[in-house]
Amino acid sequence: MNILIIDPLSENTICRLKKIKSVKIDYFPNINETDILEKIGQASMLIMRTSHIFTEQWLEKAVQLQAVIIAGSGIENVPIDLLEANNIIFKNVKEASVTSVAEYAICLILMGLRNVYQGIKSIGEGNWEKNQLIGNEIRRKTIGLIGFGNIGKAIASLLCNFDVEIIYTNESGRVVGYDYECVELKELAKRSDIICIQVPLTNRTYQFINNDVFSNVKRDCVLINVSRYDVIAMDALIEKLKQGIFKHVYIDPIEKRHLKTISEFKNLPISFLPHLGANTYEAQERVGEELIKIMIDLETKFNFLCSLP
Amino acid sequence: MNILIIDPLSENTICRLKKIKSVKIDYFPNINETDILEKIGQASMLIMRTSHIFTEQWLEKAVQLQAVIIAGSGIENVPIDLLEANNIIFKNVKEASVTSVAEYAICLILMGLRNVYQGIKSIGEGNWEKNQLIGNEIRRKTIGLIGFGNIGKAIASLLCNFDVEIIYTNESGRVVGYDYECVELKELAKRSDIICIQVPLTNRTYQFINNDVFSNVKRDCVLINVSRYDVIAMDALIEKLKQGIFKHVYIDPIEKRHLKTISEFKNLPISFLPHLGANTYEAQERVGEELIKIMIDLETKFNFLCSLP
């Protein structure tokens, strides 16, 4: 059987997958849409992350496909119902990226407060702009966490000695065992000096950070999105950026397909990143471990021999 | 009497200083060397930070000077012995910047591990280089703190929930009350995944991070300097950067006078910043508070009336 892999996995993981008896690994970490459509017809299993969206056209071509595995936690780019209706198994890797994303969120929060990017850039251009780059401490500020699942909890935990106030919103209400204050989204917007978004993308979170939220944020708020591009109504955000409401905004989850749309944000206090939140060697290794476990679970179903260490 | 101020202070601090009876405040936060030499002759008191070096030429011109106050903790840019030999009072503001510098060090450490600057830059240029920008978590890494005074201790404290090993060097040996391991500089270099320097610049620390240290560092080490430019032997560093030893180096304390010398580091994995460590509104306010306290202490000596709130 053929396993088609269309996003990067760690070298070690690829090496282990190749050891599985009676499978052929087609590893194309930089594949484009046209080539996916050409190759998906031969695949019995597809392993992917977030770079591509699994479309109905893929499904039409995928005549041999029996399983789709997402090597990550976000699953919004795959039509799970449609897969299940076609008897295609769907699995994903949870948890593996939590630490990487949480540490990264702390990095972006501090960068937003301290003008670090602007400082490096200006020095690189031969200018010394210290006096225009006065920042803020995080100490004694209010951090509003939108989403209080594993990543939200991990961010709060990392901040434990930073002397900050943490408040959060959570779809299913207050989380037992945590002393932080659970509030409504509107109140979070009103009170937070820093807002950090870490929710899965679903029908309910699609563009749910919109004008209703932005019209309540404090002036000079720092906004961080380590979730998915589409949780923010970007049309509403650009207006607020033009009004000078935000000190700085960091949007991490930029995929190739977003590059065109973000050009209109030039010269505004916003920075985009190529979805680096979970992009660490450590997270990739853990993803690999989980992936191998999923393969072992699927062993009898697919009639291959994992024989993995 | 005239008080000459040649570095930025907060608006609030300037406002309070102006309220002192029988003094004239000459506030020139962006003054150049020539103008300092012209104006210093009329000054009874000089307030400065780190942008300039107090030279013998200044002293020759400063015929009325009775006091020099550094609005910061680093004092290496002022010849204290010479001032004292000329009966000029010297004071400085300690402590006020500790939190700002410590938070900033965490930011640079995480940036060094995660390729954030490169990510933003590449997206700005229309490229999407996620697969070339795989980073590392800080979790389970060894952080070597060179200098374990107030800032070193504050960095260790902020990292308390990051699940890291902290080791440190300290000029006067092990610091009582802290469980972290105190080691020799060479051992710290050998063991650390991340090295962070926060020591005052003195005769003993001038270029003390040199080839003896660099020849022991681990491959892919992240090096952060939030101390002073001259604590590192930059000639030795450039060689090691060319050899690809470091994952990334961040040098914060760049003053205008360093701009020329850093151009030879182009295209190496090193970033420079215009001394933003203590550059926050919060630290500036605390510096102002301490400055006013010093003024009150000097009140009878200088025969002015502070009458400050």
Side-chain angles (χ1 to χ4, degrees), chain B residues 70-134:
Chain B
I70 296 251
S73 58
I75 55 175
E76 76 288 345
N77 51 330
V78 174
I80 302 172
D81 294 351
L82 211 58
L83 294 184
E84 282 173 358
N86 284 272
N87 289 315
I88 296 170
I89 296 168
F90 173 78
K91 302 266 178 192
N92 76 316
V93 170
K94 297 160 190 114
E95 314 273 312
S97 317
V98 171
T99 301
S100 286
V101 179
E103 291 179 359
Y104 182 71
I106 304 294
C107 179
L108 297 185
I109 290 170
L110 293 171
M111 282 183 73
L113 291 165
R114 298 302 287 274
N115 311 302
V116 180
Y117 182 81
Q118 298 88 326
I120 298 172
K121 188 164 176 284
S122 62
I123 289 258
E125 291 161 356
N127 301 313
W128 190 83
E129 297 179 344
K130 176 175 181 170
N131 301 346
Q132 294 94 294
L133 296 174
I134 304 173

Side-chain angles (χ1 to χ4, degrees), chain A residues 8 29-30 49-51 96-101 103-104 106-108 110-111 113-124 126-139 141 156-163 247 250 254-256 259 262 266 271-284 286, chain B residues 8 29-30 49-51 96-101 103-104 106-108 110-111 113-124 126-139 141 156-163 247 250 254-256 259 262 266 271-284 286:
Chain A
N30 294 306
R49 299 197 70 159
T50 55
S51 310
S97 317
V98 172
T99 301
S100 286
V101 179
E103 291 179 358
Y104 182 71
I106 305 292
C107 179
L108 297 185
L110 292 171
M111 282 183 73
L113 290 167
R114 297 302 287 273
N115 311 302
V116 180
Y117 181 82
Q118 297 88 327
I120 299 171
K121 189 164 176 282
S122 62
I123 289 258
N127 301 314
W128 191 83
E129 298 179 342
K130 176 175 181 170
N131 302 345
Q132 294 93 294
L133 296 174
I134 305 173
N136 283 102
E137 293 179 354
I138 190 172
R139 179 169 174 256
K141 301 295 186 297
S157 163
L158 294 178
L159 287 172
C160 82
N161 255 12
F162 280 72
D163 190 10
K247 183 176 165 77
Y250 280 100
I254 298 301
E255 308 296 343
K256 260 187 200 159
L259 282 179
I262 62 175
K266 269 214 163 133
S271 303
F272 297 96
L273 285 138
H275 207 171
L276 300 182
N279 205 38
T280 63
Y281 291 103
E282 293 83 356
Q284 286 197 357
R286 288 194 296 267
Chain B
N30 294 306
R49 300 197 69 156
T50 53
S51 310
S97 317
V98 171
T99 301
S100 286
V101 179
E103 291 179 359
Y104 182 71
I106 304 294
C107 179
L108 297 185
L110 293 171
M111 282 183 73
L113 291 165
R114 298 302 287 274
N115 311 302
V116 180
Y117 182 81
Q118 298 88 326
I120 298 172
K121 188 164 176 284
S122 62
I123 289 258
N127 301 313
W128 190 83
E129 297 179 344
K130 176 175 181 170
N131 301 346
Q132 294 94 294
L133 296 174
I134 304 173
N136 283 102
E137 292 179 355
I138 189 171
R139 180 169 174 256
K141 302 296 184 298
S157 163
L158 293 179
L159 288 172
C160 81
N161 254 14
F162 280 72
D163 190 10
K247 183 176 165 76
Y250 279 100
I254 298 302
E255 308 297 342
K256 262 189 199 159
L259 282 179
I262 61 176
K266 268 213 165 134
S271 303
F272 297 96
L273 285 136
H275 206 172
L276 300 183
N279 205 37
T280 63
Y281 291 103
E282 293 82 357
Q284 286 198 357
R286 288 194 295 268

Side-chain angles (χ1 to χ4, degrees), chain A residues 9-20 25 292 308-309:
Chain A
L9 295 177
S10 79
E11 242 175 82
N12 184 31
T13 307
I14 294 296
C15 196
R16 289 173 74 181
L17 290 174
K18 281 185 174 164
K19 282 184 188 155
I20 301 174
I25 302 290
I292 300 296
L308 294 166

Side-chain angles (χ1 to χ4, degrees), chain B residues 185-204:
Chain B
L185 189 49
K186 201 170 163 179
E187 190 186 338
L188 181 135
K190 271 188 188 161
R191 286 170 57 187
S192 299
D193 302 295
I194 297 129
I195 296 175
C196 191
I197 312 168
Q198 51 286 320
V199 291
L201 177 59
T202 64
N203 288 338
R204 285 186 302 279

